[in-house]
């Protein structure tokens, strides 16, 4: 039996085809989230890669910010619960998830069976989210995916003291003007995101194992800084961005 | 901190119902003030936790800028009023009730809720200290006197005698000043009557809100946000006491007949923390109702029930209002409400306007969640400024909360 999970986020759309609730048959990820063609394209691609059609799907669940606005799903589940179940699928021993997406950050604690027990989310401020990294990357004219490599070359992590994205922007510009090395500055930016989310995480009891999910999890600079702040190892999977869609496909399986 | 009657009658209300009567009392409070003004009497603007017994006993009509601001916000005029005071230099970080009220002091007109202009203002800082500057500025802008009662923040559970004496002296002084301003006279007999009505209203109100202990609750918690306007503005009146007693009777009757004003199946019971998000009342209440959630209790409603035996005791009660007490005491009051009303989750409004209330909520809600074994979710919003709320964010958090409550039920 095939089930389908679709995660329509603020900046990306992700899909997963699951077989019998145990095997990921295919997945897709498109830049562009709610209000774009990406959810449709992601769906088409995932089906194509799995070599199946709509008719083969026994159930579809949607998650993410666009979960209420898609007609392709039978029901929707919050991204909080989906991330919990998806992370549990990849890392069965994970009890705490730190998810940093395009416009929000969440810390989720889960039980041994992958059910969400508690969660905290950032306030409406964009600091500590993917948007903060995007803004900084644009100022520095460094692609986001190159930030990790550059951060690793840092000699002395610079300090970005403003939590406000707009203030931090001018702070970064003035540090740049003062001759701070690019790697030090980028490491400082990663550190700032990690520090902000770590202080959110500390409000929940952090039970190991801990993993990161969401797009920002791909940034090793943020991951390493987070490990430093929380004093614990952080698991990472190449599928970190798909946890929501995997969780949705698992919910679809449970309901089918 | 107080609220306003928000009318959304789909079917014509039964004129014998508590809902109708309470609506009439709240509307009449505004009309009484307009009428008094026309008669040439002096009228005031009054803070919601100022001892209403004082103007009531003196027979002075007052209106409540917090209620007015809530009504203006609920009717969609919050942003335009906020922008008027912001253009005058008030920061958008200041409480939106204050911004709306200061704007009204300037425009003297807002179709969201008209009020007569004051001849004096009555301020009491047991709610917050933002109130002092807000009222000072009203007094200065309008060139009218301000009567200020200072009630210190209470770090203990009990109110020490010295504090009661400090507050009592100010209450007496306020009475004196009001006698001078308005020419009206304090009557101990009238005070006794007001105290009795206030006691009757409060006892009935608290008993009515306590019927949420029944499962299902005989009422939709959003009803409380409407009805409490009368507790804020008119609890010392005979009609208020009678209407509150009727409300209690109706809720008891609903329970006996297995009925509720909450439409649909009550699947989950939560406590709501903070002031309502007036500009998005519909979105916030639907976000709950669509998931079968009833907001069965909120400290916000209970805050306006005052029970006391004499003048000194009344002073002590005003020293114990929710925003004037320490975190532990405030937590214990909420834990009691959660346990008595079998609450399964806590939803916290992180209200950008109200720094005092929102500031201690992350820690307090953590402690409540732990003590009661219930999940906690918070959302950003504002009681009156519509620019500080995201429906998508609200929805995700309420859904997350619901999913945990569901998982908890499954065990
Ligand atoms: S800051 Fe809070 S307590 Fe003070 S007036 Fe505004 S809403 Fe009321």
């Amino acid at each position: 039996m095939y089930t389908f999970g679709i995660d329509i986020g603020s900046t990306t759309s992700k899909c997963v085809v699951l077989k019998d609730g145990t095997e990921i048959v295919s997945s897709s990820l498109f830049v562009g989230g709610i209000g774009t063609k990406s959810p449709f394209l992601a769906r088409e691609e995932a089906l194509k890669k799995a070599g199946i059609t709509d008719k083969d799907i026994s159930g579809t669940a949607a998650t993410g910010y666009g979960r209420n606005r898609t007609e392709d799903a039978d029901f929707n589940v919050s991204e909080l619960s989906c991330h919990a179940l998806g992370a549990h699928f990849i890392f069965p021993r994970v009890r705490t998830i730190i998810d940093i997406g395009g416009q929000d950050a969440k810390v989720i604690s889960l039980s041994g069976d992958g059910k969400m027990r508690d969660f905290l989310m950032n306030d409406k401020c964009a600091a500590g989210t993917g948007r903060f990294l995007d803004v900084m990357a644009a100022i520095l004219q460094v692609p986001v995916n190159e930030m990790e490599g550059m951060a690793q070359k840092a000699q002395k992590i610079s300090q970005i003291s403003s939590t406000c994205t707009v203030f931090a922007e001018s702070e970064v510009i003035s540090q740049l003007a003062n001759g701070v090395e690019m790697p030090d500055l980028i490491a400082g930016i990663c550190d700032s995101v990690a520090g902000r989310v770590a202080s959110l995480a500390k409000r929940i009891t952090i039970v190991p194992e801990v993993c990161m999910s969401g797009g920002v999890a791909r940034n090793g600079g943020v991951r390493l800084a987070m490990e430093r702040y929380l004093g614990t190892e952080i698991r990472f999977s190449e599928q970190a961005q798909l946890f929501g869609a995997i969780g949705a496909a698992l919910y679809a399986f449970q309901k089918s | 901190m107080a609220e306003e009657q928000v009318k959304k009658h789909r079917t014509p209300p039964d004129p014998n119902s508590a809902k109708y009567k309470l609506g009439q009392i709240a509307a009449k409070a505004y009309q009484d003030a307009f009428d008094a003004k026309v008669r040439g009497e002096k009228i005031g603007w009054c803070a919601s936790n100022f001892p209403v017994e004082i103007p009531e006993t003196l027979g002075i009509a007052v209106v409540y800028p917090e209620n007015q601001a809530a009504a203006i916000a609920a009717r969609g005029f919050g942003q335009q009023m906020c922008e008027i005071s912001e253009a005058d230099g008030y920061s958008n970080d200041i409480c939106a009730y204050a911004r709306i009220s200061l704007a009204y002091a300037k425009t003297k007109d807002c179709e969201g809720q008209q009020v007569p202009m004051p001849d004096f203002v009555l301020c009491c800082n047991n709610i917050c200290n933002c109130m002092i500057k807000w009222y000072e500025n009203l007094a200065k802008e309008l060139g009218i006197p301000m009567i200020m009662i200072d009630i210190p923040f209470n770090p203990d559970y009990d109110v020490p005698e010295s504090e009661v004496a400090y507050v009592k002296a100010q209450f007496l002084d306020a009475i004196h000043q009001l006698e001078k301003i308005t020419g009206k006279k304090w009557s101990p007999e009238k005070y006794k009557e007001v105290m009795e009505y206030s006691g009757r209203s409060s006892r009935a109100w608290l008993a009515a809100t306590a019927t949420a202990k029944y499962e299902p609750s005989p009422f939709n918690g959003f009803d409380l946000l409407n009805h409490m306007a009368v507790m804020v503005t008119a609890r010392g009146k005979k009609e208020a006491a009678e209407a509150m007693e009727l409300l209690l009777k109706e809720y008891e009757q609903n329970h006996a007949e297995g009925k509720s004003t909450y439409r649909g199946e009550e699947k989950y019971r939560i406590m709501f923390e903070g002031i309502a998000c007036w500009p998005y009342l519909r979105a916030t209440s639907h976000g709950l109702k669509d998931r079968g959630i009833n907001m069965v209790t909120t400290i916000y409603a209970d805050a306006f029930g005052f029970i006391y035996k004499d003048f000194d005791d009344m002073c002590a009660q005003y020293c114990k209002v929710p925003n004037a007490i320490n975190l532990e005491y405030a937590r214990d009051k909420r834990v009691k409400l959660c346990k008595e009303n079998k609450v399964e989750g806590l939803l916290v409004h992180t209200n950008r306007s109200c720094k005092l209330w929102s500031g201690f909520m992350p820690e307090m809600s953590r402690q409540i969640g732990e003590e009661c074994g219930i999940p906690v979710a918070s959302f950003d919003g504002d009681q009156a400024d519509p620019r500080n709320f995201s429906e998508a964010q609200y929805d995700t958090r309420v859904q997350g909360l619901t999913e945990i409550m569901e998982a908890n039920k499954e065990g």
Side-chain angles (χ1 to χ4, degrees):
Chain A
M1 186 209 322
Y2 294 106
T3 56
F4 199 86
I6 178 158
D7 177 359
I8 308 172
S10 57
T11 51
T12 53
S13 302
K14 288 87 55 177
C15 289
V16 161
V17 175
L18 198 67
K19 190 175 171 200
D20 300 330
T22 52
E23 184 193 339
I24 297 172
V25 182
S26 71
S27 65
S28 61
L29 187 153
F30 277 71
V31 173
I34 181 167
T36 69
K37 275 192 183 157
S38 294
F40 170 78
L41 297 173
R43 183 180 175 85
E44 294 293 294
E45 184 173 291
L47 289 172
K48 198 170 145 207
K49 277 197 203 159
I52 58 173
T53 67
D54 270 342
K55 291 193 193 71
D56 302 307
I57 302 288
S58 305
T60 298
T63 189
Y65 267 102
R67 68 189 181 284
N68 295 319
R69 281 176 245 173
T70 172
E71 283 165 11
D72 294 331
D74 304 312
F75 63 99
N76 72 70
V77 184
S78 77
E79 52 266 46
L80 295 149
S81 292
C82 285
H83 273 274
L85 201 56
H88 173 76
F89 182 80
I90 303 291
F91 298 120
R93 287 182 7 188
V94 152
R95 296 291 177 274
T96 310
I97 304 167
I98 297 171
D99 173 76
I100 311 183
Q103 64 175 29
D104 61 27
K106 15 189 183 311
V107 184
I108 305 166
S109 82
L110 56 156
S111 56
D113 58 359
K115 291 236 171 75
M116 171 171 57
R117 281 279 158 243
D118 197 3
F119 70 92
L120 276 175
M121 292 179 80
N122 65 317
D123 58 25
K124 67 191 174 113
C125 174
T129 71
R131 181 73 67 217
F132 182 84
L133 286 177
D134 290 345
V135 170
M136 299 306 149
I139 300 168
L140 300 175
Q141 296 180 338
V142 174
V144 181
N145 57 7
E146 286 175 22
M147 282 180 127
E148 173 179 356
M150 294 189 74
Q152 278 166 0
K153 294 187 197 129
Q155 298 291 319
K156 183 174 175 287
I157 301 173
S158 75
Q159 186 143 19
I160 315 289
S161 45
S162 306
T163 46
C164 164
T165 307
V166 178
F167 289 174
E169 189 176 332
S170 32
E171 201 178 330
V172 164
I173 291 169
S174 70
Q175 292 209 26
L176 206 56
N178 289 338
V180 174
E181 295 295 332
M182 192 69 109
D184 294 351
L185 204 45
I186 289 174
I189 290 165
C190 295
D191 207 72
S192 151
V193 171
R196 179 107 175 148
V197 180
S199 61
L200 183 74
K202 282 178 185 163
R203 280 168 46 194
I204 251 181
T205 314
I206 298 171
V207 181
E209 295 178 356
V210 181
C211 79
M212 270 185 80
S213 65
V216 175
R218 304 187 68 80
N219 184 319
V222 177
R223 271 197 333 267
L224 287 175
M226 190 73 79
E227 287 188 341
R228 240 190 1 262
Y229 276 111
L230 298 181
T232 182
E233 188 196 341
I234 293 182
R235 306 290 306 265
F236 169 69
S237 154
E238 283 298 330
Q239 289 168 310
Q241 253 178 304
L242 295 174
F243 284 178
I246 296 171
L250 284 163
Y251 274 110
F253 175 74
Q254 287 176 4
K255 280 217 180 177
S256 294
Chain B
M1 206 169 74
E3 293 328 330
E4 171 54 24
Q5 189 79 8
V6 178
K7 293 185 201 142
K8 253 184 242 116
H9 299 311
R10 287 200 183 85
T11 48
D14 171 2
N16 293 317
S17 67
K19 179 178 174 175
Y20 180 82
K21 292 189 171 170
L22 290 166
Q24 292 295 304
I25 296 168
K28 189 170 175 291
Y30 286 114
Q31 196 50 49
D32 285 349
F34 276 114
D35 294 347
K37 189 87 186 173
V38 171
R39 286 196 301 270
E41 292 177 25
K42 307 271 191 215
I43 71 115
W45 284 6
C46 181
S48 67
N49 270 343
F50 186 93
V52 57
E53 291 79 357
I54 293 179
E56 187 67 39
T57 301
L58 287 163
I60 301 170
V62 291
V63 292
Y64 295 80
E66 293 151 83
N67 288 51
Q68 183 204 13
I72 286 175
R75 292 171 187 147
F77 298 91
Q79 184 167 342
Q80 80 185 48
M81 294 303 273
C82 284
E83 282 171 357
I84 291 171
S85 50
E86 285 161 24
D88 275 348
Y90 290 103
S91 160
N92 65 1
D93 277 336
I94 297 171
C95 168
Y97 281 175
R99 277 179 283 149
I100 290 173
S101 169
L102 288 158
Y104 191 87
K106 181 180 182 181
T107 60
K108 301 177 179 53
D109 179 39
C110 176
E111 60 177 293
Q113 180 64 58
Q114 306 287 10
V115 294
M117 294 310 287
D119 300 292
F120 55 87
V121 288
L122 302 176
C123 182
C124 185
N125 66 342
N126 53 356
I127 300 185
C128 73
N129 284 325
C130 160
M131 203 113 215
I132 304 176
K133 291 295 151 193
W134 163 11
Y135 276 59
E136 265 177 17
N137 283 19
L138 285 177
K140 198 160 177 133
E141 296 282 351
L142 299 170
I144 55 173
M146 163 174 169
I147 295 176
M148 167 73 204
I149 290 177
D150 171 48
I151 296 192
F153 187 82
N154 195 343
D156 302 311
Y157 275 61
D158 298 318
V159 183
E161 270 176 35
S162 56
E163 187 177 334
V164 173
Y166 174 66
V167 170
K168 184 179 175 182
Q170 295 182 74
F171 277 22
L172 294 175
D173 186 49
I175 293 170
H176 236 75
Q177 290 184 66
L178 279 170
E179 284 181 331
K180 258 203 225 145
I181 295 170
T182 64
K184 301 209 172 181
K185 280 276 157 274
W186 178 265
S187 143
E189 290 73 39
K190 174 77 178 159
Y191 171 67
K192 220 173 139 233
E193 197 183 300
V194 168
M195 188 170 85
E196 267 160 30
Y197 288 135
S198 174
R200 267 178 64 190
S201 302
S202 297
R203 271 188 293 275
W205 170 245
L206 293 175
T209 63
T211 60
K213 66 175 185 250
Y214 299 127
E215 287 177 285
S217 163
F219 62 85
N220 179 344
F222 276 80
D223 295 355
L224 302 180
L225 301 178
N226 280 345
H227 301 333
M228 64 187 282
V230 168
M231 284 310 292
V232 178
T233 63
R235 60 179 176 271
K237 291 186 198 294
K238 183 168 177 243
E239 312 83 87
E242 286 170 354
M244 285 302 166
E245 284 162 358
L246 179 61
L247 184 72
L248 170 62
K249 210 169 123 201
E250 286 179 3
Y251 285 172
E252 287 290 2
Q253 197 172 336
N254 277 358
H255 166 62
E257 293 170 4
K259 292 198 302 201
S260 174
T261 61
Y262 181 83
R263 308 270 168 248
E265 186 197 349
E266 179 185 279
K267 291 195 205 143
Y268 308 102
R269 301 159 63 86
I270 63 160
M271 175 158 95
F272 184 89
E273 182 59 50
I275 303 180
C277 209
W278 294 110
Y280 298 98
L281 205 53
R282 182 179 289 262
T284 47
S285 74
H286 275 259
L288 300 180
K289 213 170 149 286
D290 293 350
R291 298 184 167 92
I293 299 173
N294 191 4
M295 179 263 271
V296 290
T297 186
T298 170
I299 194 94
Y300 186 32
D302 280 22
F304 292 95
F306 289 87
I307 297 171
Y308 48 85
K309 53 183 192 302
D310 53 29
F311 198 89
D312 284 25
D313 195 21
M314 175 180 86
C315 296
Q317 292 310 315
Y318 279 96
C319 298
K320 280 195 196 175
V321 299
N323 278 4
I325 55 175
N326 60 81
L327 189 147
E328 292 76 11
Y329 190 12
R331 171 204 62 204
D332 291 350
K333 277 175 174 278
R334 288 158 168 90
V335 164
K336 187 166 173 281
L337 283 179
C338 284
K339 290 189 173 165
E340 284 175 355
N341 295 307
K342 302 175 197 80
V343 158
E344 300 164 277
L346 170 61
L347 183 62
V348 179
H349 176 196
T350 302
N351 180 353
R352 293 281 144 182
S353 265
C354 193
K355 315 294 184 282
L356 180 115
W357 201 333
S358 300
F360 67 4
M361 273 330 288
E363 177 55 18
M364 197 199 297
S365 58
R366 188 190 66 77
Q367 292 187 17
I368 297 169
E370 231 170 67
E371 169 90 27
C372 300
I374 53 169
V376 177
S378 68
F379 69 96
D380 291 281
D382 196 290
Q383 69 211 20
D385 186 337
R387 295 166 291 184
N388 291 327
F389 175 80
S390 150
E391 202 171 329
Q393 189 213 57
Y394 175 77
D395 208 56
T396 299
R397 292 171 195 211
V398 172
Q399 188 166 357
L401 181 70
T402 315
E403 287 163 359
I404 302 180
M405 292 193 291
E406 192 179 354
N408 287 348
K409 272 194 203 293
E410 286 165 4

